[in-house]
């Protein structure tokens, strides 16, 4: 048979990145990297914004006005608390499989959504500022004037959206992500998995022979 009549051979290696078999693996790697970056950045933003000033105002007195400020934690503790929950859920995604991974991914998604909603609602909430003003004045129901809001609530909301994205990625692609090594897991009966057989003792070293005898082993076998 001549070379011209031979059928063309496939020049693409089986493990080539352009093959259809490699595309799901590439998508899983990209989604994993995006989820880790989005989740870590979202939790960091939410925690950072919770400790910053969200609103400023003045309580009016007969002698003048007293400026007051409130942080995100004083307005609502939800973003900070859910940021910690979301960060823990992001780590726990790799410690569980199947239904457990879906549940943890859902928790991560809900944490991000809760942070975003709480931050948006807290942006217009002046109850904490009025309470602080009443404490300064010594009269309940004291009104606050010249109220201004900073941009930190929106930073917290952006962090919540990033956590939300990380949770959605975990829900869609999490089944393809790797899990922690199974060498630390126990078998269903409670016993540890099979152990690697110990290396045979070196008969030229007396200390190895004594260690084998202490374990009840016959070093000559």
């Amino acid at each position: 048979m001549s070379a011209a009549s031979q059928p063309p051979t496939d020049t693409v290696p089986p493990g080539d990145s352009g093959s259809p078999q490699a595309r799901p693996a590439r998508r899983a790697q990209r989604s994993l990297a995006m989820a880790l970056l989005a989740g870590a950045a979202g939790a960091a933003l939410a925690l950072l914004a919770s400790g910053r000033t969200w609103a400023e105002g003045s309580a009016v007195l007969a002698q003048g006005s007293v400026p007051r400020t409130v942080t995100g934690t004083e307005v609502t503790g939800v973003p900070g608390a859910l940021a910690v929950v979301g960060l823990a859920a992001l780590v726990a995604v790799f410690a569980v499989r199947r239904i457990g991974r879906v549940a943890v991914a859902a928790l991560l998604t809900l944490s991000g959504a809760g942070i975003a909603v709480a931050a948006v609602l807290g942006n217009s909430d002046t109850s904490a500022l009025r309470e602080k003003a009443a404490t300064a004045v010594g009269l309940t129901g004291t009104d606050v004037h010249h109220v201004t809001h900073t941009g930190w609530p929106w930073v917290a909301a952006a962090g919540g959206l990033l956590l939300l994205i990380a949770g959605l990625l975990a829900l869609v692609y999490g089944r393809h992500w790797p899990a922690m090594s199974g060498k630390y897991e126990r078998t269903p009966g409670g016993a540890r998995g099979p152990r690697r057989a110990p290396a045979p003792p070196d008969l030229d070293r007396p200390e190895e022979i004594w260690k084998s005898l202490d374990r009840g082993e016959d070093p000559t076998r």
Side-chain angles (χ1 to χ4, degrees), residues 39 44 47-48 51 54 58 66 84 86 121 174 187 221:
L47 289 173
L48 175 65
W54 281 25
S58 300
V66 179
V84 175
L121 294 178
T187 57
R221 288 191 301 176

Side-chain angles (χ1 to χ4, degrees), residues 63-150:
Q63 298 83 4
S65 60
V66 179
R68 298 283 92 180
T69 61
V70 288
T71 63
T73 304
E74 292 171 331
V75 173
T76 172
V78 173
L82 287 183
V84 175
V85 173
L87 192 59
L90 182 64
V91 176
V93 164
F94 304 98
V96 293
R97 293 183 176 89
R98 300 183 181 89
I99 301 300
R101 178 165 290 186
V102 173
V104 173
L107 178 61
L108 177 59
T109 305
L110 293 176
S111 298
I115 291 173
V117 172
V120 171
L121 294 178
N123 181 60
S124 58
D125 188 3
T126 59
S127 58
L129 195 58
R130 288 197 303 269
E131 183 179 349
K132 219 170 186 182
T135 302
V137 176
L139 297 173
T140 58
T142 302
D143 199 6
V144 183
H145 301 275
H146 309 295
V147 177
T148 58
H149 298 275
T150 67

Side-chain angles (χ1 to χ4, degrees), residues 167-184:
L168 292 176
L169 287 172
L171 283 173
V172 176
Y173 300 102
R175 64 183 182 274
H176 302 297
W177 293 353
M180 287 184 179
S181 176
K183 66 180 181 179
Y184 300 107

